[in-house]
Short mmCIF file of all heavy atoms in Angstrom, two decimals:
data_model
loop_
_atom_site.label_atom_id
_atom_site.label_comp_id
_atom_site.label_asym_id
_atom_site.label_seq_id
_atom_site.Cartn_x
_atom_site.Cartn_y
_atom_site.Cartn_z
N MET R 498 -16.33 9.84 20.66
CA MET R 498 -16.88 8.88 19.76
C MET R 498 -16.22 8.97 18.39
O MET R 498 -15.89 7.99 17.77
CB MET R 498 -18.39 9.08 19.64
CG MET R 498 -19.05 8.03 18.83
SD MET R 498 -19.03 6.44 19.64
CE MET R 498 -20.72 6.28 20.06
N LEU R 499 -16.01 10.19 17.94
CA LEU R 499 -15.38 10.41 16.63
C LEU R 499 -13.94 9.86 16.62
O LEU R 499 -13.51 9.21 15.67
CB LEU R 499 -15.40 11.89 16.26
CG LEU R 499 -14.83 12.24 14.89
CD1 LEU R 499 -15.61 11.56 13.80
CD2 LEU R 499 -14.89 13.75 14.70
N ILE R 500 -13.19 10.12 17.69
CA ILE R 500 -11.84 9.62 17.78
C ILE R 500 -11.84 8.10 17.76
O ILE R 500 -11.03 7.48 17.10
CB ILE R 500 -11.12 10.19 19.04
CG1 ILE R 500 -10.90 11.68 18.86
CG2 ILE R 500 -9.81 9.48 19.28
CD1 ILE R 500 -10.41 12.36 20.13
N HIS R 501 -12.75 7.50 18.48
CA HIS R 501 -12.83 6.03 18.52
C HIS R 501 -13.11 5.51 17.11
O HIS R 501 -12.49 4.53 16.66
CB HIS R 501 -13.93 5.57 19.47
CG HIS R 501 -14.18 4.09 19.38
ND1 HIS R 501 -13.30 3.16 19.87
CD2 HIS R 501 -15.20 3.41 18.82
CE1 HIS R 501 -13.77 1.96 19.64
NE2 HIS R 501 -14.91 2.08 18.99
N HIS R 502 -14.04 6.13 16.39
CA HIS R 502 -14.37 5.69 15.03
C HIS R 502 -13.17 5.79 14.12
O HIS R 502 -12.86 4.87 13.36
CB HIS R 502 -15.53 6.51 14.46
CG HIS R 502 -15.77 6.19 13.02
ND1 HIS R 502 -15.18 6.94 12.00
CD2 HIS R 502 -16.49 5.24 12.41
CE1 HIS R 502 -15.53 6.43 10.84
NE2 HIS R 502 -16.34 5.41 11.07
N ASN R 503 -12.45 6.91 14.17
CA ASN R 503 -11.28 7.09 13.29
C ASN R 503 -10.16 6.07 13.63
O ASN R 503 -9.56 5.52 12.73
CB ASN R 503 -10.73 8.52 13.45
CG ASN R 503 -11.65 9.52 12.83
OD1 ASN R 503 -12.55 9.21 12.07
ND2 ASN R 503 -11.45 10.78 13.16
N THR R 504 -9.96 5.83 14.91
CA THR R 504 -8.95 4.84 15.33
C THR R 504 -9.36 3.46 14.87
O THR R 504 -8.53 2.70 14.33
CB THR R 504 -8.75 4.88 16.84
OG1 THR R 504 -8.42 6.21 17.23
CG2 THR R 504 -7.67 3.92 17.27
N HIS R 505 -10.62 3.11 15.03
CA HIS R 505 -11.12 1.84 14.60
C HIS R 505 -10.96 1.67 13.10
O HIS R 505 -10.48 0.63 12.62
CB HIS R 505 -12.57 1.66 15.02
CG HIS R 505 -13.19 0.38 14.58
ND1 HIS R 505 -12.87 -0.82 15.14
CD2 HIS R 505 -14.08 0.12 13.59
CE1 HIS R 505 -13.55 -1.78 14.54
NE2 HIS R 505 -14.28 -1.24 13.60
N ALA R 506 -11.33 2.68 12.32
CA ALA R 506 -11.21 2.61 10.87
C ALA R 506 -9.75 2.47 10.45
O ALA R 506 -9.43 1.72 9.52
CB ALA R 506 -11.82 3.87 10.24
N PHE R 507 -8.86 3.16 11.13
CA PHE R 507 -7.43 3.08 10.85
C PHE R 507 -6.93 1.65 11.06
O PHE R 507 -6.26 1.07 10.18
CB PHE R 507 -6.68 4.06 11.76
CG PHE R 507 -5.19 4.04 11.63
CD1 PHE R 507 -4.59 4.69 10.56
CD2 PHE R 507 -4.41 3.42 12.56
CE1 PHE R 507 -3.22 4.68 10.44
CE2 PHE R 507 -3.03 3.41 12.45
CZ PHE R 507 -2.44 4.04 11.38
N PHE R 508 -7.24 1.06 12.20
CA PHE R 508 -6.77 -0.28 12.49
C PHE R 508 -7.42 -1.32 11.56
O PHE R 508 -6.75 -2.27 11.12
CB PHE R 508 -7.02 -0.67 13.94
CG PHE R 508 -6.02 -0.07 14.88
CD1 PHE R 508 -6.36 0.93 15.76
CD2 PHE R 508 -4.68 -0.50 14.84
CE1 PHE R 508 -5.40 1.50 16.62
CE2 PHE R 508 -3.74 0.06 15.68
CZ PHE R 508 -4.10 1.05 16.57
N GLU R 509 -8.68 -1.16 11.25
CA GLU R 509 -9.33 -2.11 10.34
C GLU R 509 -8.72 -2.01 8.94
O GLU R 509 -8.55 -3.01 8.26
CB GLU R 509 -10.83 -1.86 10.29
CG GLU R 509 -11.55 -2.31 11.54
CD GLU R 509 -11.35 -3.79 11.82
OE1 GLU R 509 -11.52 -4.64 10.89
OE2 GLU R 509 -11.02 -4.13 12.97
N GLY R 510 -8.37 -0.81 8.52
CA GLY R 510 -7.72 -0.66 7.22
C GLY R 510 -6.38 -1.38 7.16
O GLY R 510 -6.09 -2.09 6.21
N PHE R 511 -5.60 -1.25 8.23
CA PHE R 511 -4.32 -1.94 8.26
C PHE R 511 -4.51 -3.46 8.36
O PHE R 511 -3.80 -4.22 7.72
CB PHE R 511 -3.46 -1.45 9.43
CG PHE R 511 -2.56 -0.33 9.03
CD1 PHE R 511 -2.91 0.98 9.33
CD2 PHE R 511 -1.38 -0.56 8.33
CE1 PHE R 511 -2.09 2.03 8.94
CE2 PHE R 511 -0.55 0.47 7.97
CZ PHE R 511 -0.90 1.78 8.26
N ARG R 512 -5.48 -3.88 9.13
CA ARG R 512 -5.74 -5.32 9.26
C ARG R 512 -6.11 -5.91 7.89
O ARG R 512 -5.62 -6.95 7.49
CB ARG R 512 -6.86 -5.55 10.27
CG ARG R 512 -7.03 -6.97 10.68
CD ARG R 512 -8.01 -7.15 11.81
NE ARG R 512 -7.49 -6.52 13.02
CZ ARG R 512 -8.21 -5.87 13.92
NH1 ARG R 512 -9.50 -5.77 13.76
NH2 ARG R 512 -7.66 -5.35 14.96
N HIS R 513 -6.94 -5.21 7.14
CA HIS R 513 -7.31 -5.65 5.82
C HIS R 513 -6.11 -5.64 4.86
O HIS R 513 -5.90 -6.58 4.09
CB HIS R 513 -8.44 -4.79 5.24
CG HIS R 513 -8.83 -5.15 3.86
ND1 HIS R 513 -9.55 -6.29 3.59
CD2 HIS R 513 -8.61 -4.55 2.68
CE1 HIS R 513 -9.76 -6.37 2.28
NE2 HIS R 513 -9.19 -5.33 1.71
N ALA R 514 -5.30 -4.59 4.94
CA ALA R 514 -4.12 -4.50 4.07
C ALA R 514 -3.14 -5.62 4.34
O ALA R 514 -2.61 -6.23 3.43
CB ALA R 514 -3.44 -3.13 4.27
N TYR R 515 -2.90 -5.91 5.61
CA TYR R 515 -1.97 -6.99 5.92
C TYR R 515 -2.48 -8.34 5.46
O TYR R 515 -1.72 -9.16 4.99
CB TYR R 515 -1.67 -7.03 7.43
CG TYR R 515 -0.74 -5.95 7.88
CD1 TYR R 515 -1.04 -5.17 8.98
CD2 TYR R 515 0.44 -5.70 7.23
CE1 TYR R 515 -0.19 -4.16 9.40
CE2 TYR R 515 1.31 -4.69 7.61
CZ TYR R 515 0.98 -3.92 8.72
OH TYR R 515 1.82 -2.93 9.12
N ARG R 516 -3.79 -8.56 5.57
CA ARG R 516 -4.35 -9.81 5.05
C ARG R 516 -4.16 -9.93 3.54
O ARG R 516 -3.82 -10.97 3.02
CB ARG R 516 -5.85 -9.91 5.38
CG ARG R 516 -6.14 -10.48 6.72
CD ARG R 516 -7.61 -10.89 6.84
NE ARG R 516 -8.56 -9.88 6.38
CZ ARG R 516 -9.12 -8.98 7.18
NH1 ARG R 516 -8.85 -8.94 8.47
NH2 ARG R 516 -9.97 -8.12 6.69
N THR R 517 -4.36 -8.80 2.86
CA THR R 517 -4.22 -8.79 1.41
C THR R 517 -2.77 -8.96 0.97
O THR R 517 -2.50 -9.60 -0.03
CB THR R 517 -4.78 -7.47 0.84
OG1 THR R 517 -6.14 -7.34 1.24
CG2 THR R 517 -4.73 -7.45 -0.68
N LEU R 518 -1.85 -8.37 1.71
CA LEU R 518 -0.44 -8.42 1.33
C LEU R 518 0.28 -9.66 1.85
O LEU R 518 1.43 -9.88 1.54
CB LEU R 518 0.27 -7.16 1.82
CG LEU R 518 -0.20 -5.86 1.18
CD1 LEU R 518 0.49 -4.67 1.81
CD2 LEU R 518 0.05 -5.89 -0.32
N ASP R 519 -0.38 -10.47 2.67
CA ASP R 519 0.20 -11.68 3.17
C ASP R 519 0.56 -12.59 2.02
O ASP R 519 -0.16 -12.71 1.04
CB ASP R 519 -0.79 -12.37 4.11
CG ASP R 519 -0.19 -13.56 4.83
OD1 ASP R 519 1.00 -13.83 4.66
OD2 ASP R 519 -0.93 -14.19 5.59
N ASP R 520 1.71 -13.26 2.09
CA ASP R 520 2.18 -14.12 1.00
C ASP R 520 1.17 -15.22 0.66
O ASP R 520 1.13 -15.71 -0.49
CB ASP R 520 3.53 -14.76 1.36
CG ASP R 520 4.67 -13.77 1.27
OD1 ASP R 520 4.49 -12.74 0.57
OD2 ASP R 520 5.68 -14.00 1.92
N ARG R 521 0.38 -15.64 1.60
CA ARG R 521 -0.59 -16.71 1.34
C ARG R 521 -1.75 -16.21 0.48
O ARG R 521 -2.54 -16.99 -0.04
CB ARG R 521 -1.11 -17.30 2.62
CG ARG R 521 -0.02 -18.06 3.37
CD ARG R 521 -0.49 -18.45 4.73
NE ARG R 521 -0.56 -17.20 5.51
CZ ARG R 521 -1.07 -17.07 6.70
NH1 ARG R 521 -1.56 -18.12 7.29
NH2 ARG R 521 -1.07 -15.93 7.33
N ASN R 522 -1.90 -14.92 0.37
CA ASN R 522 -3.05 -14.34 -0.36
C ASN R 522 -2.64 -13.68 -1.67
O ASN R 522 -3.31 -12.74 -2.12
CB ASN R 522 -3.76 -13.32 0.54
CG ASN R 522 -4.38 -13.96 1.74
OD1 ASN R 522 -4.86 -15.07 1.69
ND2 ASN R 522 -4.32 -13.28 2.87
N THR R 523 -1.57 -14.13 -2.28
CA THR R 523 -1.10 -13.44 -3.48
C THR R 523 -2.14 -13.44 -4.61
O THR R 523 -2.19 -12.49 -5.37
CB THR R 523 0.22 -14.07 -4.00
OG1 THR R 523 0.04 -15.44 -4.20
CG2 THR R 523 1.35 -13.83 -3.04
N LEU R 524 -2.94 -14.45 -4.71
CA LEU R 524 -3.94 -14.51 -5.77
C LEU R 524 -5.10 -13.56 -5.52
O LEU R 524 -5.83 -13.26 -6.46
CB LEU R 524 -4.43 -15.94 -5.95
CG LEU R 524 -3.38 -16.95 -6.40
CD1 LEU R 524 -3.99 -18.34 -6.50
CD2 LEU R 524 -2.77 -16.54 -7.75
N GLU R 525 -5.28 -13.12 -4.31
CA GLU R 525 -6.39 -12.21 -3.98
C GLU R 525 -5.99 -10.75 -4.14
O GLU R 525 -6.85 -9.87 -4.05
CB GLU R 525 -6.83 -12.43 -2.53
CG GLU R 525 -7.40 -13.80 -2.29
CD GLU R 525 -7.77 -14.01 -0.84
OE1 GLU R 525 -8.01 -13.02 -0.12
OE2 GLU R 525 -7.79 -15.16 -0.42
N ARG R 526 -4.72 -10.47 -4.40
CA ARG R 526 -4.27 -9.09 -4.53
C ARG R 526 -4.72 -8.50 -5.85
O ARG R 526 -4.68 -9.15 -6.89
CB ARG R 526 -2.75 -9.02 -4.52
CG ARG R 526 -2.13 -9.39 -3.23
CD ARG R 526 -0.62 -9.28 -3.39
NE ARG R 526 0.01 -9.94 -2.26
CZ ARG R 526 1.31 -10.17 -2.20
NH1 ARG R 526 2.09 -9.81 -3.18
NH2 ARG R 526 1.80 -10.77 -1.15
N PRO R 527 -5.11 -7.22 -5.80
CA PRO R 527 -5.34 -6.54 -7.09
C PRO R 527 -4.01 -6.47 -7.84
O PRO R 527 -2.95 -6.36 -7.22
CB PRO R 527 -5.81 -5.14 -6.67
CG PRO R 527 -6.27 -5.30 -5.26
CD PRO R 527 -5.47 -6.41 -4.68
N LYS R 528 -4.07 -6.53 -9.17
CA LYS R 528 -2.83 -6.56 -9.95
C LYS R 528 -1.95 -5.32 -9.71
O LYS R 528 -0.74 -5.40 -9.82
CB LYS R 528 -3.14 -6.72 -11.44
CG LYS R 528 -3.89 -5.57 -12.07
CD LYS R 528 -4.14 -5.83 -13.54
CE LYS R 528 -5.09 -4.86 -14.13
NZ LYS R 528 -4.58 -3.60 -14.52
N GLU R 529 -2.57 -4.21 -9.33
CA GLU R 529 -1.78 -2.99 -9.06
C GLU R 529 -0.86 -3.18 -7.85
O GLU R 529 0.14 -2.48 -7.74
CB GLU R 529 -2.72 -1.79 -8.79
CG GLU R 529 -3.56 -1.37 -9.98
CD GLU R 529 -4.87 -2.15 -10.09
OE1 GLU R 529 -5.12 -3.02 -9.23
OE2 GLU R 529 -5.62 -1.88 -11.03
N LEU R 530 -1.20 -4.06 -6.93
CA LEU R 530 -0.38 -4.26 -5.74
C LEU R 530 0.82 -5.17 -5.94
O LEU R 530 1.68 -5.26 -5.07
CB LEU R 530 -1.24 -4.81 -4.60
CG LEU R 530 -2.30 -3.88 -4.03
CD1 LEU R 530 -3.02 -4.58 -2.87
CD2 LEU R 530 -1.71 -2.58 -3.57
N THR R 531 0.91 -5.83 -7.09
CA THR R 531 2.03 -6.75 -7.29
C THR R 531 3.36 -6.01 -7.30
O THR R 531 4.38 -6.60 -6.95
CB THR R 531 1.86 -7.56 -8.58
OG1 THR R 531 1.72 -6.65 -9.67
CG2 THR R 531 0.64 -8.47 -8.48
N CYS R 532 3.38 -4.76 -7.69
CA CYS R 532 4.62 -4.02 -7.75
C CYS R 532 4.94 -3.28 -6.44
O CYS R 532 5.99 -2.69 -6.31
CB CYS R 532 4.59 -3.00 -8.90
SG CYS R 532 3.37 -1.69 -8.70
N LEU R 533 4.05 -3.34 -5.46
CA LEU R 533 4.22 -2.58 -4.23
C LEU R 533 5.54 -2.89 -3.50
O LEU R 533 6.27 -1.97 -3.14
CB LEU R 533 3.03 -2.76 -3.30
CG LEU R 533 3.05 -1.99 -1.99
CD1 LEU R 533 3.15 -0.49 -2.26
CD2 LEU R 533 1.85 -2.30 -1.14
N PRO R 534 5.88 -4.15 -3.27
CA PRO R 534 7.14 -4.41 -2.55
C PRO R 534 8.36 -3.82 -3.24
O PRO R 534 9.24 -3.23 -2.60
CB PRO R 534 7.23 -5.94 -2.49
CG PRO R 534 5.80 -6.38 -2.58
CD PRO R 534 5.14 -5.40 -3.49
N ALA R 535 8.41 -3.95 -4.56
CA ALA R 535 9.57 -3.38 -5.31
C ALA R 535 9.57 -1.87 -5.26
O ALA R 535 10.65 -1.24 -5.13
CB ALA R 535 9.52 -3.87 -6.76
N LEU R 536 8.41 -1.23 -5.36
CA LEU R 536 8.34 0.21 -5.27
C LEU R 536 8.81 0.74 -3.91
O LEU R 536 9.58 1.68 -3.82
CB LEU R 536 6.93 0.73 -5.54
CG LEU R 536 6.45 0.70 -7.01
CD1 LEU R 536 4.99 1.03 -7.08
CD2 LEU R 536 7.29 1.64 -7.83
N LEU R 537 8.32 0.09 -2.85
CA LEU R 537 8.72 0.52 -1.50
C LEU R 537 10.22 0.35 -1.29
O LEU R 537 10.87 1.25 -0.74
CB LEU R 537 7.94 -0.27 -0.44
CG LEU R 537 6.49 0.06 -0.32
CD1 LEU R 537 5.81 -0.88 0.66
CD2 LEU R 537 6.26 1.52 0.09
N ASP R 538 10.75 -0.77 -1.73
CA ASP R 538 12.18 -1.00 -1.58
C ASP R 538 12.96 0.04 -2.36
O ASP R 538 13.94 0.60 -1.85
CB ASP R 538 12.51 -2.39 -2.10
CG ASP R 538 13.97 -2.76 -1.86
OD1 ASP R 538 14.43 -2.59 -0.70
OD2 ASP R 538 14.64 -3.17 -2.82
N ALA R 539 12.54 0.35 -3.55
CA ALA R 539 13.25 1.34 -4.38
C ALA R 539 13.21 2.74 -3.78
O ALA R 539 14.21 3.45 -3.79
CB ALA R 539 12.67 1.37 -5.80
N VAL R 540 12.07 3.13 -3.21
CA VAL R 540 11.98 4.45 -2.58
C VAL R 540 12.94 4.57 -1.40
O VAL R 540 13.64 5.55 -1.26
CB VAL R 540 10.53 4.75 -2.13
CG1 VAL R 540 10.47 5.96 -1.24
CG2 VAL R 540 9.62 4.93 -3.32
N PHE R 541 12.99 3.54 -0.59
CA PHE R 541 13.79 3.61 0.64
C PHE R 541 15.27 3.31 0.42
O PHE R 541 16.07 3.58 1.31
CB PHE R 541 13.20 2.73 1.73
CG PHE R 541 11.95 3.29 2.31
CD1 PHE R 541 10.72 2.74 1.95
CD2 PHE R 541 11.96 4.38 3.14
CE1 PHE R 541 9.54 3.27 2.47
CE2 PHE R 541 10.81 4.91 3.65
CZ PHE R 541 9.58 4.36 3.31
N THR R 542 15.65 2.79 -0.72
CA THR R 542 17.06 2.50 -0.98
C THR R 542 17.68 3.42 -2.03
O THR R 542 18.87 3.42 -2.22
CB THR R 542 17.26 1.06 -1.42
OG1 THR R 542 16.51 0.79 -2.62
CG2 THR R 542 16.86 0.08 -0.32
N SER R 543 16.85 4.20 -2.68
CA SER R 543 17.33 5.09 -3.74
C SER R 543 18.16 6.23 -3.18
O SER R 543 17.88 6.77 -2.11
CB SER R 543 16.14 5.66 -4.52
OG SER R 543 16.56 6.63 -5.44
N GLU R 544 19.19 6.62 -3.92
CA GLU R 544 19.99 7.79 -3.57
C GLU R 544 19.17 9.07 -3.79
O GLU R 544 19.42 10.10 -3.18
CB GLU R 544 21.27 7.84 -4.41
CG GLU R 544 22.24 6.72 -4.08
CD GLU R 544 22.88 6.86 -2.73
OE1 GLU R 544 23.14 8.02 -2.33
OE2 GLU R 544 23.11 5.84 -2.07
N THR R 545 18.22 8.99 -4.72
CA THR R 545 17.36 10.15 -5.05
C THR R 545 15.89 9.72 -5.00
O THR R 545 15.26 9.52 -6.04
CB THR R 545 17.71 10.69 -6.43
OG1 THR R 545 17.61 9.61 -7.40
CG2 THR R 545 19.11 11.28 -6.49
N PRO R 546 15.35 9.52 -3.80
CA PRO R 546 14.00 8.99 -3.67
C PRO R 546 12.90 9.87 -4.30
O PRO R 546 11.97 9.36 -4.90
CB PRO R 546 13.79 8.83 -2.16
CG PRO R 546 14.80 9.69 -1.55
CD PRO R 546 15.94 9.78 -2.50
N MET R 547 13.06 11.18 -4.22
CA MET R 547 12.03 12.06 -4.78
C MET R 547 12.01 11.96 -6.30
O MET R 547 10.93 11.97 -6.92
CB MET R 547 12.22 13.51 -4.36
CG MET R 547 12.02 13.72 -2.85
SD MET R 547 10.44 13.06 -2.24
CE MET R 547 9.32 14.17 -3.01
N GLN R 548 13.16 11.81 -6.90
CA GLN R 548 13.23 11.62 -8.36
C GLN R 548 12.59 10.29 -8.73
O GLN R 548 11.85 10.21 -9.70
CB GLN R 548 14.68 11.66 -8.84
CG GLN R 548 14.81 11.47 -10.33
CD GLN R 548 16.27 11.51 -10.80
OE1 GLN R 548 17.13 11.95 -10.05
NE2 GLN R 548 16.50 11.03 -12.00
N PHE R 549 12.87 9.25 -7.94
CA PHE R 549 12.26 7.95 -8.21
C PHE R 549 10.74 8.04 -8.12
O PHE R 549 10.03 7.49 -8.95
CB PHE R 549 12.76 6.88 -7.23
CG PHE R 549 12.07 5.57 -7.42
CD1 PHE R 549 12.42 4.72 -8.46
CD2 PHE R 549 11.01 5.22 -6.61
CE1 PHE R 549 11.76 3.54 -8.67
CE2 PHE R 549 10.34 4.04 -6.83
CZ PHE R 549 10.70 3.18 -7.85
N ILE R 550 10.24 8.75 -7.12
CA ILE R 550 8.77 8.90 -6.93
C ILE R 550 8.19 9.58 -8.16
O ILE R 550 7.13 9.18 -8.65
CB ILE R 550 8.50 9.63 -5.62
CG1 ILE R 550 8.81 8.72 -4.44
CG2 ILE R 550 7.04 10.10 -5.60
CD1 ILE R 550 8.77 9.42 -3.11
N GLN R 551 8.85 10.60 -8.66
CA GLN R 551 8.34 11.30 -9.85
C GLN R 551 8.36 10.39 -11.06
O GLN R 551 7.43 10.39 -11.86
CB GLN R 551 9.19 12.54 -10.12
CG GLN R 551 8.93 13.64 -9.09
CD GLN R 551 9.85 14.83 -9.29
OE1 GLN R 551 10.83 14.76 -10.02
NE2 GLN R 551 9.54 15.91 -8.60
N GLU R 552 9.42 9.58 -11.20
CA GLU R 552 9.51 8.66 -12.33
C GLU R 552 8.51 7.52 -12.24
O GLU R 552 8.10 6.96 -13.28
CB GLU R 552 10.93 8.10 -12.44
CG GLU R 552 11.95 9.15 -12.82
CD GLU R 552 13.38 8.66 -12.64
OE1 GLU R 552 13.61 7.54 -12.19
OE2 GLU R 552 14.29 9.47 -12.97
N ALA R 553 8.11 7.16 -11.04
CA ALA R 553 7.14 6.05 -10.85
C ALA R 553 5.73 6.58 -10.65
O ALA R 553 4.87 5.88 -10.10
CB ALA R 553 7.57 5.23 -9.62
N GLU R 554 5.47 7.76 -11.16
CA GLU R 554 4.14 8.40 -10.93
C GLU R 554 3.00 7.53 -11.43
O GLU R 554 1.98 7.39 -10.73
CB GLU R 554 4.13 9.76 -11.65
CG GLU R 554 2.81 10.49 -11.46
CD GLU R 554 2.81 11.83 -12.15
OE1 GLU R 554 3.78 12.15 -12.90
OE2 GLU R 554 1.83 12.56 -11.98
N ARG R 555 3.13 6.92 -12.60
CA ARG R 555 2.03 6.10 -13.12
C ARG R 555 1.73 4.92 -12.22
O ARG R 555 0.56 4.64 -11.92
CB ARG R 555 2.41 5.62 -14.52
CG ARG R 555 1.29 4.86 -15.21
CD ARG R 555 1.63 4.51 -16.62
NE ARG R 555 3.06 4.58 -16.85
CZ ARG R 555 3.71 3.95 -17.80
NH1 ARG R 555 3.07 3.19 -18.61
NH2 ARG R 555 5.01 4.04 -17.94
N GLU R 556 2.75 4.22 -11.77
CA GLU R 556 2.57 3.06 -10.90
C GLU R 556 1.98 3.48 -9.55
O GLU R 556 1.11 2.81 -9.01
CB GLU R 556 3.89 2.31 -10.68
CG GLU R 556 4.40 1.62 -11.90
CD GLU R 556 5.27 2.55 -12.80
OE1 GLU R 556 5.39 3.76 -12.48
OE2 GLU R 556 5.81 2.05 -13.78
N LEU R 557 2.46 4.59 -8.99
CA LEU R 557 1.94 5.06 -7.71
C LEU R 557 0.49 5.51 -7.84
O LEU R 557 -0.30 5.28 -6.92
CB LEU R 557 2.84 6.19 -7.18
CG LEU R 557 4.24 5.74 -6.83
CD1 LEU R 557 5.12 6.94 -6.55
CD2 LEU R 557 4.25 4.79 -5.66
N ASN R 558 0.13 6.16 -8.92
CA ASN R 558 -1.25 6.56 -9.13
C ASN R 558 -2.18 5.35 -9.27
O ASN R 558 -3.29 5.35 -8.76
CB ASN R 558 -1.39 7.47 -10.34
CG ASN R 558 -0.90 8.85 -10.09
OD1 ASN R 558 -0.81 9.31 -8.97
ND2 ASN R 558 -0.54 9.56 -11.15
N ALA R 559 -1.67 4.30 -9.90
CA ALA R 559 -2.45 3.05 -10.02
C ALA R 559 -2.69 2.46 -8.62
O ALA R 559 -3.76 1.94 -8.35
CB ALA R 559 -1.74 2.06 -10.92
N LEU R 560 -1.68 2.55 -7.73
CA LEU R 560 -1.87 2.07 -6.37
C LEU R 560 -2.92 2.87 -5.63
O LEU R 560 -3.73 2.33 -4.87
CB LEU R 560 -0.54 2.15 -5.61
CG LEU R 560 0.51 1.12 -5.93
CD1 LEU R 560 1.79 1.45 -5.22
CD2 LEU R 560 0.02 -0.26 -5.55
N ALA R 561 -2.90 4.17 -5.84
CA ALA R 561 -3.87 5.04 -5.16
C ALA R 561 -5.30 4.72 -5.59
O ALA R 561 -6.25 4.89 -4.80
CB ALA R 561 -3.55 6.51 -5.42
N LEU R 562 -5.47 4.26 -6.81
CA LEU R 562 -6.81 3.97 -7.33
C LEU R 562 -7.21 2.52 -7.20
O LEU R 562 -8.31 2.14 -7.55
CB LEU R 562 -6.89 4.40 -8.79
CG LEU R 562 -6.66 5.88 -9.06
CD1 LEU R 562 -6.58 6.15 -10.55
CD2 LEU R 562 -7.71 6.73 -8.39
N ALA R 563 -6.31 1.65 -6.70
CA ALA R 563 -6.58 0.22 -6.60
C ALA R 563 -7.74 -0.05 -5.67
O ALA R 563 -7.85 0.56 -4.61
CB ALA R 563 -5.33 -0.51 -6.13
N LYS R 564 -8.57 -0.95 -6.04
CA LYS R 564 -9.71 -1.41 -5.21
C LYS R 564 -9.23 -2.55 -4.34
O LYS R 564 -9.09 -3.66 -4.82
CB LYS R 564 -10.89 -1.84 -6.06
CG LYS R 564 -11.39 -0.79 -7.01
CD LYS R 564 -12.19 0.22 -6.29
CE LYS R 564 -12.88 1.11 -7.29
NZ LYS R 564 -12.68 2.49 -7.08
N VAL R 565 -8.94 -2.26 -3.08
CA VAL R 565 -8.44 -3.30 -2.19
C VAL R 565 -9.53 -3.70 -1.24
O VAL R 565 -10.27 -2.96 -0.76
CB VAL R 565 -7.21 -2.79 -1.39
CG1 VAL R 565 -6.69 -3.85 -0.45
CG2 VAL R 565 -6.13 -2.34 -2.34
#
């Protein structure tokens, strides 16, 4: 039962995130999420991703606290 609950919560979280990040829902996004695509792109294309993550600490912390 616990495994089912965790799996269900995981999938529901992703379902909600995808709805929020869908291009048709840009006005429903919390303002902290507007920088998410650029941050993800920068992390995965940077020559020094860990340094980028440290430099983007403020933006990443805002994402962690965003009410989605």
